[in-house]
């Protein structure tokens, strides 16, 4: 079975500073990887996904993530954060052509951007 | 195009009661998944429906059930409510959920409080 570990439950960062949210996964087979964001009182919204190809994936709102197979990691980065980036971020994994195997989420990282 | 719609957004019940939550997926999406989100456990998979059939079920007691209608709308029901059922219940839809690459589009959730 697949699992996802988000190493930091909370990350405070000053506005305009860079940020990295860490995600490691465990799987015996190839995986697809996703980052979702959840703003207060809302559902989850896709930031970016890695299916295949280039290991550097660019998403919405200036976020990017790098897939590292040897490290089994998919860390999310942004070079300069804004107050509006304050939210909870979830890393998730699925298995290609797995039929109805559900998406497995990490426990989330709460990003707080400080003015 | 309209997103995933969940009703009601907020509800309060007492222990022992039952509750029904509704989810209308994006038009054309045939797969509907349900997740329970709590601060302690994060996002946990409840079940997934495709073409009115439950294809996968998470590790929840039989008090949690669901169904899907011919128009892909889905409902979930929780009977004999317990305090621990207080959570945000998220519904997500995707095209068919078969390849693992389909992005889940989430609704805003139904926040259930059990007193």
């Amino acid at each position: 079975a697949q699992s996802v570990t988000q190493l930091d439950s909370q990350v405070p960062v000053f506005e305009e500073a860079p940020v990295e949210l860490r995600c490691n996964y465990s799987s015996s087979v190839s995986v697809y990887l996703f980052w979702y964001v959840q703003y207060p009182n809302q559902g989850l919204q896709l930031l970016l996904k890695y299916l295949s190809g280039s290991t550097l994936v660019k998403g919405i709102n200036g976020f990017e993530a790098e897939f590292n197979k040897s490290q089994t990691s998919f860390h999310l980065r942004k070079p300069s954060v804004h107050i509006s980036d304050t939210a909870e971020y979830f890393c998730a994994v699925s298995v290609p052509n797995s039929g109805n195997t559900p998406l497995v989420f990490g426990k989330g990282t709460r990003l707080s951007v400080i003015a | 195009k309209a997103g995933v719609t969940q009703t009601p957004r907020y509800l309060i019940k007492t222990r022992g009661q039952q509750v029904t939550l509704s989810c209308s997926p994006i038009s054309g999406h045939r797969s509907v998944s349900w997740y329970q989100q709590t601060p302690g456990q994060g996002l946990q998979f409840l079940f997934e429906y495709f073409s009115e059939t439950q294809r996968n079920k998470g590790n929840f007691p039989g008090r949690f059930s669901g169904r899907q209608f011919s128009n892909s709308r889905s409902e979930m029901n929780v009977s004999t409510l317990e305090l621990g059922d207080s959570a945000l219940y998220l519904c997500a839809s995707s095209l068919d959920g078969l390849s693992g690459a389909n992005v889940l589009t989430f609704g805003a959730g139904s926040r259930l409080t059990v007193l």
Side-chain angles (χ1 to χ4, degrees), chain B residues 38-61:
Chain B
T38 58
Q41 299 298 319
L43 284 149
Q44 292 188 285
F45 174 73
L46 280 157
F47 25 66
E48 186 248 353
Y49 288 87
F50 180 81
S51 291
E52 303 178 66
T53 301
Q54 186 183 87
R55 292 197 300 189
N56 206 346
K57 189 178 192 308
N59 189 24
F60 278 82

Side-chain angles (χ1 to χ4, degrees), chain A residues 32 34 36 38 41-44 46 49 51 88 90 94-103 105 107, chain B residues 9-10 35 37 40-43 45 48 55-56 88 90 97-104 106-108:
Chain A
Y32 294 145
F34 305 80
Y36 282 82
Q38 185 177 33
N41 297 316
Q42 294 186 29
L44 278 69
L46 181 73
K49 63 182 178 182
L51 304 182
E88 189 143 23
F90 294 91
S94 72
V95 176
N97 302 310
S98 58
N100 56 346
T101 304
L103 198 61
F105 288 88
K107 295 217 169 188
Chain B
R9 288 290 316 277
Y10 302 91
Y35 286 82
Q37 185 179 19
Q41 299 298 319
L43 284 149
F45 174 73
E48 186 248 353
R55 292 197 300 189
N56 206 346
L88 180 66
L90 291 164
L98 289 174
S99 70
N102 289 146
V103 171
L104 293 183
F106 284 83

